């Protein structure tokens, strides 16, 4: 049964699939593919090109002082070093979402968390890619033992961590100084959930 607000159906996106007349892989990449679909709409067929993406997870890690962990990472397509929350691809077959999130937190930040909740989710750029990002809240943090830490390479080798009060991170988002989508969505969702006494969080989960 649909949830209603004031007699109207609750606001929410709805899944709907249109007939794909033709599907072509224009470029098979190392991680992403560029694909082309001919899609049948009500007034005729249209051609759409987009990036086929395995999906991703992101982690808003909050410590006991409500500071959020941000990582500075170079992102070549936009030629910027962005402050981001720990995040990564869903590139392990059949891996549970919270397990993937815990793996990324350990690999990128050398942290483990005892408590996990689903915070929110979003499509990163629905006109250009099918990437879906699920954002988790992680609390009760502890360091990964030195002997079990991940060896970071490439852009991840230069990650710079910074603990930022959540309210300060919100101000940076609203001021346009934080522009990574996972950081923007995660920070604002965490602040909104906190303002509601965390009552909006998804079910607790354990990696």
């Amino acid at each position: 049964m649909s949830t209603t607000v004031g007699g109207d159906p609750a606001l929410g996106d709805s899944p709907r699939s249109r007939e794909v007349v033709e599907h072509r892989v224009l470029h098979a990449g190392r991680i992403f593919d560029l694909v082309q679909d001919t899609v049948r709409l009500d007034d005729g067929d249209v051609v759409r090109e987009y990036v086929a993406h395995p999906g991703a997870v992101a982690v808003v890690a909050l410590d006991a002082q409500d500071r959020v962990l941000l990582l500075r990472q170079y992102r070549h397509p936009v030629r910027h070093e962005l402050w981001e929350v720990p995040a990564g691809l869903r590139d392990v077959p059949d891996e549970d979402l919270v397990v993937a999130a815990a793996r990324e937190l350990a690999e990128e930040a050398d942290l483990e968390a005892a408590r996990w909740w689903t915070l929110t989710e979003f499509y990163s750029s629905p006109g250009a890619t099918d990437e879906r990002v699920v954002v988790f809240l992680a609390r009760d943090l502890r360091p990964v033992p030195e002997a079990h830490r991940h060896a970071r390479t490439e852009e991840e080798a230069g990650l710079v961590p910074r603990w930022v009060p959540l309210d300060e991170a919100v101000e940076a988002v609203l001021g346009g100084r934080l522009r990574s989508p996972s950081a923007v969505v995660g920070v604002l969702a965490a602040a909104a959930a906190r303002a509601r006494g965390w009552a909006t969080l998804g079910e607790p989960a354990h990696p």
Side-chain angles (χ1 to χ4, degrees):
M1 183 178 295
S2 300
T3 303
T4 59
V5 178
D8 294 326
L11 178 66
D13 300 328
S14 302
R16 183 178 182 184
S17 182
R18 299 298 187 103
E19 180 186 357
V20 177
V21 179
E22 182 183 18
H23 175 80
R24 298 174 57 204
V25 177
L26 302 180
H27 172 74
R30 183 171 62 93
I31 300 173
F32 319 120
D33 294 340
L34 176 62
V35 301
Q36 182 185 84
D37 286 351
T38 301
V39 185
R40 182 145 295 162
L41 301 182
D42 294 339
D43 59 350
D45 295 350
V46 297
V47 176
R48 295 290 181 265
E49 295 175 357
Y50 60 95
V51 174
H53 193 288
V57 291
V59 182
V60 176
L62 284 182
D63 68 7
Q65 290 77 46
D66 275 359
R67 297 181 304 170
V68 61
L69 175 64
L70 298 178
L71 303 173
R72 191 177 70 195
Q73 183 171 358
Y74 176 65
R75 293 299 189 181
H76 184 69
V78 296
R79 308 303 199 272
H80 270 69
E81 288 186 330
L82 301 180
W83 287 101
E84 306 181 341
V85 295
L89 298 172
R90 295 179 57 194
D91 52 1
V92 176
D94 301 320
E95 186 177 36
D96 186 81
L97 283 169
V98 71
V99 172
R103 174 172 54 82
E104 291 298 337
L105 182 63
E107 290 180 359
E108 293 196 348
D110 299 325
L111 289 174
E112 298 173 343
R115 295 192 294 161
W116 292 85
W117 296 268
T118 303
L119 188 58
T120 190
E121 62 180 79
F122 64 96
Y123 291 111
S124 61
S125 183
T129 178
D130 61 357
E131 179 187 20
R132 170 176 165 251
V133 183
V134 180
V135 186
F136 289 89
L137 175 69
R139 305 213 69 166
D140 288 353
L141 306 169
R142 59 184 179 269
V144 173
E146 191 80 32
H148 298 121
R149 293 187 179 181
H150 178 72
R152 291 186 279 272
T153 61
E154 300 179 348
E155 290 93 344
E156 290 185 353
L159 289 176
V160 176
R162 180 173 175 180
W163 289 96
V164 180
L166 183 57
D167 290 335
E168 182 180 325
V170 169
E171 291 303 315
V173 169
L174 298 180
R177 301 189 303 278
L178 291 183
R179 286 166 284 179
S180 163
S182 55
V184 169
V185 172
V187 163
L188 295 183
R194 184 184 61 178
R196 291 161 175 77
W198 305 110
T200 59
L201 295 176
E203 290 296 319
H206 301 281

